[in-house]
Amino acid sequence: MPAANTSRTEDLRAHGVEIVAGSLTDLAGVTRAKYVPLQRLSAFEKSGMGVSPSWSVFCVDSGIAFTPDIGVVGDLRIRIDPDDLRLIDDGVAWAPASLHDQHGNPAPLCTRSLLSDIERSAADRGLTALAGAELEFTLLSDEGGHASAEPWSPYGMRTSLDRSGFLVDLALAAEMAGLEIEQLHTEYGHDQVEVSLAPATPVAVADSVILARIVIGRVAARHGLKVSFSPVPFEGEAGNGAHLHLSLADTDGPLLSGGPGPHGLRDAGQSAIAGVLDGLPDLLGVYAGSTLSAARLKPGNWAGATKCWGLENREAAVRFVAATPGNPHGANVELKIIDPSANPYLAAAALLGSALRGIDKALPLPSEVTDDPAATAAQPLPTDHRTVIETLESSSLAADLLTPAVIQGLVAVRRHELTTYGDRPLAETCQALRLAWSC
Ligand code: GLU
Ligand code: MG
């Protein structure tokens, strides 16, 4: 949508826009928004709208996980990015927002600003990063239960054609919102759908993940459906992943191809993958840290539950995708462990930050796992929720990459989930949180 300041309001009005939303995604991975009438657009950009500091530590269930540093006193500003306004519904435009203090500085708990900082530190090393995102979600009935009861066939022609009205409307709505979808299909799980987004810079991709969730939710509503972005919407059924892809390049070209290492990896590319793997146990609470995440991270679920890497290995935490004529985007790594309860800005920051750390330390690449890790000596990651939280809390690696303030807030919201849901039956928690990460 055109962004020139003087004409922007007129353009939006011509598109029927009456209100403008700006959203933030909090540490629990929940997206929250404020709205202004169109005539207040410029205030939303410049001074921002007030939000309490507790916005960063709201929990999946409306609890608030106050910390010694975040209480009831203070005020922050949510400011939209004026260059990124999109049409998301009749009369409604949306833009991603960042969290600022009242003086206009990025707030310490603004995960979008944190990801920008890490992108900048890649640029300071002469590196450019491209990310890509895959969103899996589950269609629900309007009441929030299963959307359909008939037998499912994964990737089935029938299952997709039966939902062609939804898929066609989704493609149209995405186009209207300027959201670049690369692929969409019905997935393995019952009523599960996947959408892949075009590669872009990490901040742009995290923005697109949120925009995609919004667009998918709006289209579903028009079809009398709801949508779950829960890691495990129904006990015992397929989980939803939120895999992120990453590639890096310097002035000599891509780091993940054209070199002498395995599959053409250059030395720095090998160290980048080693860095992602090395950071995994500490950062699991960032990538898949909700009370439901462990139920998805099981061997056999293609969720990458084992700390290893391999070419096109769908059971490895890091799936390496080589540069071939079948892959026009070039070589990249896919971190499969991420689920949709993760804040996508923070997950991308952890992924890129740990790749850079691997390069800085020239970490050696572990041997490739060329088989199903279950058939090897490689052990699945410890995914027990308490262990994941305690590991994150005591990790200097996580604090160095993502700041102590962010880790403190993240631990607080995840510990609230542990306390509230840790002893409840899984089926009950699946139901309680089925819509927690939907937009
Ligand atoms: N649904 C799987 C997950 O939870 C991923 C399946 C796939 O590889 O597409 O991550
Ligand atoms: Mg998939």
Side-chain angles (χ1 to χ4, degrees):
M1 193 168 288
N5 213 9
T6 46
S7 62
R8 190 184 303 128
T9 308
E10 293 318 309
D11 285 332
L12 289 167
R13 209 177 292 286
H15 282 87
V17 171
E18 293 295 337
I19 53 175
V20 178
S23 73
L24 290 173
T25 303
D26 66 20
L27 295 171
V30 176
T31 299
R32 305 182 194 275
K34 281 224 161 176
Y35 292 78
V36 294
L38 186 54
Q39 65 272 19
R40 290 267 293 155
L41 182 64
S42 127
F44 209 174
E45 287 173 44
K46 296 202 173 88
S47 45
M49 299 298 131
V51 298
S52 85
S54 59
W55 267 51
S56 299
V57 288
F58 281 146
C59 301
V60 285
D61 58 356
S62 312
I64 308 178
F66 288 119
T67 70
D69 297 328
I70 303 172
V72 295
V73 177
D75 193 49
L76 295 169
R77 300 272 132 186
I78 163 172
R79 281 167 49 173
I80 57 165
D81 190 331
D83 296 328
D84 214 5
L85 279 159
R86 312 297 180 103
L87 273 178
I88 55 162
D89 209 349
D90 290 346
V92 190
W94 165 91
S98 303
L99 194 60
H100 293 257
D101 67 20
Q102 286 174 319
H103 303 285
N105 306 307
L109 289 165
C110 179
T111 54
R112 191 167 185 264
S113 304
L114 177 66
L115 179 56
S116 287
D117 289 347
I118 295 179
E119 226 176 281
R120 218 168 299 122
S121 80
D124 292 344
R125 292 168 170 84
L127 296 172
T128 50
L130 273 186
E134 297 178 13
L135 291 87
E136 292 178 335
F137 56 94
T138 306
L139 293 171
L140 306 175
S141 70
D142 195 34
E143 292 74 38
H146 282 101
S148 70
E150 78 270 17
W152 184 258
S153 58
Y155 316 101
M157 196 68 206
R158 172 182 58 80
T159 51
S160 49
L161 276 180
D162 282 353
R163 288 151 189 83
S164 63
F166 169 77
L167 297 175
V168 168
D169 282 354
L170 180 53
L172 281 172
E175 198 178 325
M176 222 156 83
L179 175 71
E180 220 181 312
I181 288 182
E182 292 233 309
Q183 264 194 60
L184 64 172
H185 62 262
T186 44
E187 250 286 347
Y188 184 82
H190 196 102
D191 290 323
Q192 194 180 34
V193 178
E194 175 169 328
V195 167
S196 343
L197 304 180
T201 63
V203 173
V205 160
D207 287 344
S208 293
V209 166
I210 301 305
L211 176 60
R213 286 194 203 178
I214 294 169
V215 169
I216 290 164
R218 290 300 80 214
V219 174
R222 288 200 283 277
H223 285 260
L225 298 166
K226 286 193 165 59
V227 160
S228 176
F229 281 96
S230 164
V232 185
F234 297 95
E235 184 185 12
E237 298 188 23
N240 286 319
H243 313 172
L244 286 178
H245 292 247
L246 178 71
S247 64
L248 290 161
D250 63 12
T251 46
D252 293 331
L255 300 192
L256 300 176
S257 59
H263 312 297
L265 284 164
R266 289 170 57 195
D267 288 351
Q270 296 188 48
S271 292
I273 297 175
V276 173
L277 289 171
D278 190 54
L280 262 188
D282 287 36
L283 297 169
L284 195 53
V286 174
Y287 298 131
S290 78
T291 183
L292 285 173
S293 295
R296 164 181 168 264
L297 280 182
K298 306 270 189 236
N301 283 354
W302 293 17
T306 306
K307 180 189 159 187
C308 61
W309 76 281
L311 177 69
E312 296 291 7
N313 191 334
R314 286 183 168 74
E315 277 290 309
V318 174
R319 168 183 166 220
F320 182 72
V321 185
T324 62
N327 166 26
H329 292 311
N332 62 82
V333 288
E334 178 190 30
L335 186 58
K336 290 181 72 74
I337 221 151
I338 305 169
D339 74 41
S341 71
N343 172 318
Y345 298 94
L346 203 52
L351 173 59
L352 176 56
S354 50
L356 297 178
R357 176 180 168 272
I359 295 172
D360 289 349
K361 290 178 161 301
L363 292 181
L365 182 64
S367 305
E368 178 180 0
V369 170
T370 55
D371 206 344
D372 182 342
T376 71
Q379 286 302 305
L381 285 157
T383 56
D384 158 71
H385 199 210
R386 186 181 305 277
T387 308
V388 167
I389 293 171
E390 286 172 359
T391 305
L392 179 68
E393 186 173 33
S394 60
S395 166
S396 54
L397 182 155
D400 285 350
L401 286 187
L402 303 173
T403 76
V406 165
I407 299 303
Q408 185 192 44
L410 181 57
V411 164
V413 297
R414 293 312 191 198
R415 190 161 273 142
H416 170 92
E417 291 175 32
L418 178 65
T419 311
T420 312
Y421 299 100
D423 296 327
R424 292 199 196 169
L426 179 60
E428 209 180 282
T429 306
C430 288
Q431 181 174 5
L433 299 183
R434 202 168 285 150
L435 293 170
W437 298 282
S438 307
C439 289

